[in-house]
Amino acid sequence: MAVSPQAITQRSSDERSGTLLQRGVAIGLVLYAGFVVTPASWIVLRELVIYPLAEVVAITSVLVGVYRYRPSAPQAWLLIGGGLFLFLIADVIWGVYKTLGLDPFPSLADVFYLAAYPFFAAGLVVATIRRRGYGVDVRATIDAAIVTVICGYIAWVGIVMPIVNDDMLTPFERIVTILYPAADLLLLAVAARFVIGSSWNMRALRMFVAGVFLLFMGDVIFARNSAGLQYETLWDSMLLAGILMMGVAALDPSMRALTEEPGDPWARSDKVRRVLIACAVMVPPLVLSWQQLRGRPLYFSAHLTAIVALTLLVAARFGLMAAGAERSAAREATLSDYTANLLAAAGRDRLFAIARQALTMLGKTANGKARLVLEGEHDTRREMPFRTEVKLRGKEVGTISVDADPATLRLWRESLTTIATQLSIALERDWLLATEQETAERLTQQNARLRELDAMKDRFVSAVTHELRTPLTSMMGYLEILSAGEVGELNGDQARMVNIIDRNCRRLDELISEILVTAQIDSGRLKYKFTQVDIARLASKQVESIQAVADKSDIRVELIVESQPPLLSADEMRLGQVIDNLLSNAIKFTPAGGTVTVRVAHRGDTASLEVSDTGVGIPADELDQIFGRFYRTTTATATPGTGLGLWIAQSIAKDHGGTISVTSELNVGTTFDVRLPLRAVDRPTTAQHHEVRT
Amino acid sequence: MTETRQPISSQKADGARPVVLAADDDKDILELITFRLERSGYTVLQAHDGEEALRLAQAANPSLAVLDVMMPKIDGFELTRRLRADAATSRMPIILLTARGQDADVQQGFDAGADDYLRKPFSPQELRARVQAILGRR
């Protein structure tokens, strides 16, 4: 691991500061121990050496800390150091008085003592203001006020009133005496606000706050025993410890946090605070009861003031809590509205707009401002305490950033993450929908175009067929009249030639029909009319109708019904065409004197129709090609034909859910076997797409 | 037009011959039909398109009509429907000639009200046989 020189410096400096704090604490402990063990009678050592020395250590610690750690707002620590310095002067004056055996009251020392408190308070006010972060935490202020009122009330009943009623004191002495708890209260109010409003869970701050607390306790004990002074060592040592801790705390690097750490309100929930406030309200009645039990004066005016003040503060506090609850309900509502709106909307801009709207609404529920900054937009705020990304297809398209106090931030964090996540999901969904829609549209367009092309081809073939058949009709019609001798008898040659023309016209007609059917099969527009068909009877009909042609070529055609298959669902005319195609082929390729056999049988769950001939046969390597369109075998070159008949036959067989297979032996013969399923199968009413074999 | 009038006059001269209306936009086919049927003892009225055929059928009330399907102006199907819709010609037998030869076309012809049809190319003798069969029936 590579460590940068800067990091090394940082660490060694931190190590040194660790030693620094330890040294400060060690010196403090020595001085404290020295003070405690020194007999009360050694006034010079105690009051003029150890005490001022401890204060010098405290002040030096503050100065060293400020110099070493360079807090951005050193004035807070310097004010505290100033307070400690005033303590030093006061204690030196007091020490001199004591050494001289004097105990003047009020004295010059009191002036400096009392002047120190406002300095401490000012230091904490600066710290609180600097750490305020974003906006004023009203709840923390009210809570601190409640603490102050209770403490003030106790001080009033327990300290101030006894002084006021002390007949031994002159009015001036009373005022000065009362100024001490007043100064304490001032410091307490500020310290409470600091503690409640901020995170002080750092070594330097813990030490400092503990020091302030010791200062209070020392003052309380002093005040309660001002007459007797019997606990002088106790309260004096407490004050000494407090002063040392307040000063030495500045030797820890976390001393910077006094003014730099953003304010993080007391992490306790409202629930805990509510319990504490309820306890606080119980204090006046308890004190009242205590006073009555001890037989002391009751001070009703103090009770009344405390109760009224506490009631008002508690009411304000609960009011704020209720407002907070209302705001969180509004926040929930905003979020659920947001989700619903996102689901209902489409389009990226619209979704962003909805998110922005939700953030504005959210801003109304708390003390802060959240904004959505899109990719490419300029973010005017340099640093935001909270950011969360909005992503689309794994890429950041924007950030939601917040400018708010930490309390608001904690409340919002979850909501903002939700907003960002929901927005990312909505964007993703929107993108997918748009893409899907685009693809669907493109496919629909392609489909429409293909359908149109198919229809065009159909119309074309249909028109061409019509155009070809019209002249053919004239030619064949007049040939018929000619050969019938209706316009004069033809001689032998003439008759033969007219016959040749007629035969070729018929071939042409056949070719046109085959092309038309081929085009129809291709475009899936060949229509079928399924009925119950007796295949044996159909075969017999076809054999009969081709008999004349076969006779002419001197070929015997025989039909053998091996076993009668049940009726099958088929288009009789198309199936007839299949049989006719196979029969014509067989006759065409069989030499005179040969035999063509049609065999019908019921085989398993199929009806079988075999057409065998004793013809020229098909070479083995061409067998798998004969069903291809326009394919003509090498043995068929001398025989007229289009090469479409077998393809059409197979297409029709397929549309019936059947097959045509072929076996052949050269110069022995060929057998085509048509198999049609007897079970009902889903058949298209029009032919579907056909595989084209080449 | 002169061609069409002549047979009408011949019809008057020889009232015993049944009159057959033949309509086809192909003159050669029209001639073929006329030759065959005139030779077989019919008087033939020639029409070259659907409109003319409709006019002739309504004017001359022929005994039978042989109509091509693919004709300009009014096609054979439509013509058949119109003839069937007209009271004067509603009972006139109609034979359609179709070149497309698709079952759907044949079905359409029967739906329109045709009595018979022939696929092109047709045998003139076959046509004569159909005509004789229908008129002999009556």
Side-chain angles (χ1 to χ4, degrees):
Chain A
M1 196 175 72
V3 178
S4 70
Q6 203 182 352
I8 292 168
T9 320
Q10 186 65 44
R11 197 167 51 189
S12 62
S13 125
D14 281 353
E15 272 164 14
R16 270 205 312 277
S17 53
T19 336
L20 202 62
L21 178 68
Q22 283 163 12
R23 278 182 207 157
V25 170
I27 293 168
L29 280 173
V30 168
L31 288 170
Y32 180 76
F35 181 81
V36 172
V37 299
T38 308
S41 51
W42 297 12
I43 292 169
V44 177
L45 183 61
R46 273 178 67 140
E47 305 295 340
L48 283 175
V49 179
I50 298 178
Y51 225 99
L53 209 55
E55 277 157 343
V56 167
V57 167
I59 295 161
T60 312
S61 295
V62 169
L63 293 174
V64 168
V66 168
Y67 175 76
R68 154 80 42 104
Y69 305 119
R70 308 243 170 226
S72 65
Q75 55 268 45
W77 277 108
L78 291 178
L79 281 166
I80 288 160
L84 291 171
F85 182 67
L86 289 169
F87 266 1
L88 171 63
I89 295 170
D91 278 328
V92 168
I93 294 169
W94 179 246
V96 170
Y97 280 139
K98 266 199 128 177
T99 312
L100 295 176
L102 298 172
D103 188 11
F105 182 81
S107 71
L108 192 60
D110 290 310
V111 175
F112 287 101
Y113 277 133
L114 287 170
Y117 288 87
F119 271 77
F120 295 138
L124 280 174
V125 167
V126 169
T128 307
I129 290 171
R130 294 290 299 195
R131 292 172 56 128
R132 190 177 59 195
Y134 312 85
V136 180
D137 189 348
V138 183
R139 284 186 294 182
T141 307
I142 293 179
D143 288 349
I146 290 172
V147 170
T148 309
V149 165
I150 288 168
C151 292
Y153 164 68
I154 293 170
W156 186 265
V157 172
I159 299 169
V160 177
M161 287 316 284
I163 294 168
V164 170
N165 293 335
D166 193 341
D167 297 334
M168 309 265 288
L169 298 172
T170 64
F172 184 61
E173 283 172 346
R174 279 182 203 168
I175 289 169
V176 176
T177 312
I178 289 168
L179 277 176
Y180 276 94
D184 271 328
L185 216 54
L186 170 72
L187 184 56
L188 176 93
V190 175
R193 176 64 183 80
F194 174 78
V195 167
I196 291 172
S198 329
S199 160
W200 49 286
N201 197 17
M202 273 157 283
R203 193 154 47 180
L205 299 188
R206 276 202 305 264
M207 240 175 120
F208 178 78
V209 169
V212 173
F213 181 73
L214 284 173
L215 198 65
F216 290 143
M217 296 317 289
D219 277 351
V220 167
I221 295 168
F222 165 75
R224 291 289 291 175
N225 304 285
S226 56
L229 294 180
Q230 64 259 51
Y231 297 113
E232 191 179 352
T233 305
L234 177 62
W235 57 257
D236 247 0
S237 66
M238 280 174 97
L239 288 177
L240 184 71
I243 288 163
L244 277 167
M245 284 170 88
M246 283 166 72
V248 171
L251 291 177
D252 191 79
S254 61
M255 62 84 77
R256 286 196 206 99
L258 185 68
T259 50
E260 284 177 11
E261 205 67 22
D264 185 15
W266 202 10
R268 299 276 172 265
S269 65
D270 267 4
K271 204 165 145 192
V272 174
R273 287 212 208 175
R274 236 177 278 200
V275 172
L276 291 177
I277 291 167
C279 291
V281 180
M282 297 303 291
V283 171
L286 283 174
V287 172
L288 197 66
S289 313
W290 176 254
Q291 293 287 96
Q292 195 149 29
L293 277 175
R294 298 274 307 266
R296 301 258 174 89
L298 296 179
Y299 311 119
F300 278 113
S301 59
H303 287 301
L304 201 65
T305 312
I307 287 169
V308 168
L310 279 178
T311 307
L312 287 175
L313 285 170
V314 168
R317 188 66 181 78
F318 280 104
L320 277 178
M321 279 183 187
E326 215 168 86
R327 280 202 295 267
S328 80
R331 192 163 51 242
E332 289 298 312
T334 301
L335 283 179
S336 87
D337 275 0
Y338 168 71
T339 310
N341 288 344
L342 277 186
L343 281 173
R348 203 189 290 196
D349 292 344
R350 181 82 196 107
L351 294 176
F352 283 143
I354 288 169
R356 287 207 158 112
Q357 208 176 359
L359 290 173
T360 311
M361 291 298 290
L362 204 63
K364 287 177 184 162
T365 67
N367 186 21
K369 198 175 161 191
R371 32 192 259 121
L372 170 65
V373 180
L374 295 182
E375 191 76 352
E377 276 182 0
H378 180 59
D379 193 350
T380 47
R381 308 229 174 207
R382 278 174 299 114
E383 275 179 32
M384 297 285 209
F386 180 76
R387 271 169 188 275
T388 179
E389 291 178 350
V390 177
K391 286 183 169 181
L392 172 60
R393 316 288 316 150
K395 192 175 155 277
E396 187 187 316
V397 292
T399 46
I400 286 177
S401 47
V402 183
D403 192 11
D405 64 78
T408 306
L409 203 59
R410 198 171 35 247
L411 283 171
W412 277 15
R413 196 178 289 269
E414 207 180 321
S415 309
L416 294 170
T417 311
T418 305
I419 285 184
T421 311
Q422 301 256 40
L423 181 59
S424 294
I425 291 170
L427 286 170
E428 194 82 16
R429 186 184 57 110
D430 185 57
W431 184 87
L432 284 173
L433 280 177
T435 313
E436 200 179 309
Q437 209 171 346
E438 207 175 288
T439 312
E441 265 168 30
R442 211 173 40 236
L443 280 178
T444 309
Q445 277 172 4
Q446 271 174 2
N447 263 348
R449 174 109 190 93
L450 283 176
R451 266 201 299 275
E452 200 184 319
L453 281 175
D454 248 4
M456 254 171 71
K457 191 172 116 179
D458 239 22
R459 282 198 299 273
F460 174 74
V461 170
S462 187
V464 166
T465 312
H466 176 259
E467 290 310 311
L468 288 174
R469 271 180 176 156
T470 300
L472 205 58
T473 304
S474 285
M475 285 156 74
M476 289 170 77
Y478 286 109
L479 279 172
E480 188 188 285
I481 290 163
L482 276 182
S483 51
E486 287 191 58
V487 286
E489 283 300 321
L490 304 178
N491 64 34
D493 278 346
Q494 285 170 338
R496 197 170 54 81
M497 288 175 192
V498 165
N499 200 33
I500 290 170
I501 300 171
D502 184 61
R503 202 173 64 230
N504 281 283
C505 283
R506 281 178 205 286
R507 268 179 63 191
L508 204 54
D509 182 38
E510 212 171 287
L511 178 63
I512 292 165
S513 298
E514 282 180 349
I515 289 173
L516 181 65
V517 170
T518 302
Q520 284 171 339
I521 290 174
D522 257 0
S523 61
R525 278 158 209 269
L526 189 64
K527 290 180 177 64
Y528 289 94
K529 210 159 65 192
F530 286 97
T531 55
Q532 293 299 305
V533 176
D534 179 348
I535 193 166
R537 231 187 55 172
L538 181 64
S540 147
K541 220 166 82 182
Q542 295 296 336
V543 166
E544 205 175 298
S545 71
I546 206 142
Q547 203 69 55
V549 182
D551 284 349
K552 238 187 254 177
S553 310
D554 188 20
I555 291 165
R556 202 158 61 88
V557 180
E558 52 181 30
L559 172 69
I560 301 169
V561 180
E562 263 182 23
S563 48
Q564 173 71 48
L567 294 181
L568 58 96
S569 174
D571 182 323
E572 186 159 359
M573 197 199 93
R574 297 291 176 204
L575 207 53
Q577 202 176 343
V578 171
I579 300 171
D580 186 58
N581 281 2
L582 295 177
L583 273 176
S584 320
N585 265 356
I587 290 165
K588 263 196 276 185
F589 295 109
T590 302
T595 310
V596 170
T597 311
V598 178
R599 202 180 295 268
V600 175
H602 180 186
R603 296 190 208 282
D605 51 2
T606 60
S608 161
L609 183 139
E610 276 180 12
V611 178
S612 319
D613 61 43
T614 54
V616 292
I618 303 164
D621 58 341
E622 294 182 36
L623 275 179
D624 57 345
Q625 296 174 60
I626 56 167
F627 291 105
R629 270 197 292 186
F630 299 108
Y631 187 81
R632 311 228 49 218
T633 63
T634 47
T635 48
T637 43
T639 319
T642 57
L644 282 170
L646 281 177
W647 183 79
I648 291 171
Q650 199 190 36
S651 298
I652 292 171
K654 270 187 192 167
D655 286 340
H656 282 76
T659 55
I660 301 182
S661 58
V662 60
T663 50
S664 185
E665 203 176 323
L666 275 180
N667 299 317
V668 174
T670 305
T671 301
F672 285 91
D673 185 5
V674 182
R675 293 292 186 104
L676 298 168
L678 294 168
R679 276 176 294 106
V681 286
D682 279 340
R683 291 194 193 95
T685 47
T686 58
Q688 300 302 305
H689 182 73
H690 288 273
E691 211 177 306
V692 177
R693 293 175 57 168
T694 50
Chain B
M1 278 309 202
T2 47
E3 276 179 323
T4 45
R5 271 178 197 145
Q6 269 175 339
I8 294 172
S9 56
S10 72
Q11 184 197 8
K12 278 176 185 165
D14 186 359
R17 288 163 70 97
V19 178
V20 174
L21 167 67
D24 198 310
D25 58 324
D26 189 281
K27 277 183 191 168
D28 295 338
I29 294 177
L30 198 55
E31 186 63 34
L32 180 69
I33 296 169
T34 309
F35 178 88
R36 179 73 282 151
L37 294 183
E38 292 263 353
R39 282 250 168 156
S40 309
Y42 300 98
T43 299
V44 176
L45 298 180
Q46 291 182 333
H48 298 86
D49 59 52
E51 242 173 48
E52 191 182 356
L54 182 62
R55 209 166 48 237
L56 280 175
Q58 284 163 346
N61 194 20
S63 311
L64 183 142
V66 178
L67 309 173
D68 185 26
V69 170
M70 299 273 275
M71 274 192 302
K73 295 179 184 173
I74 304 172
D75 73 28
F77 297 140
E78 178 59 25
L79 182 56
T80 305
R81 263 190 294 275
R82 291 206 197 171
L83 291 173
R84 284 283 169 268
D86 188 337
T89 55
S90 66
R91 295 175 61 81
M92 180 177 68
I94 295 169
I95 297 175
L96 287 177
L97 299 176
T98 162
R100 286 188 288 188
Q102 293 180 24
D103 288 352
D105 294 335
V106 172
Q107 187 58 49
Q108 204 181 343
F110 282 126
D111 288 347
D115 294 75
D116 206 346
Y117 73 93
L118 275 175
R119 282 191 174 124
K120 283 184 181 178
F122 60 91
S123 151
Q125 285 173 22
E126 179 77 21
L127 173 64
R128 180 183 62 191
R130 301 277 178 108
V131 171
Q132 282 173 342
I134 291 173
L135 289 182
R137 253 198 343 241
R138 302 174 126 230

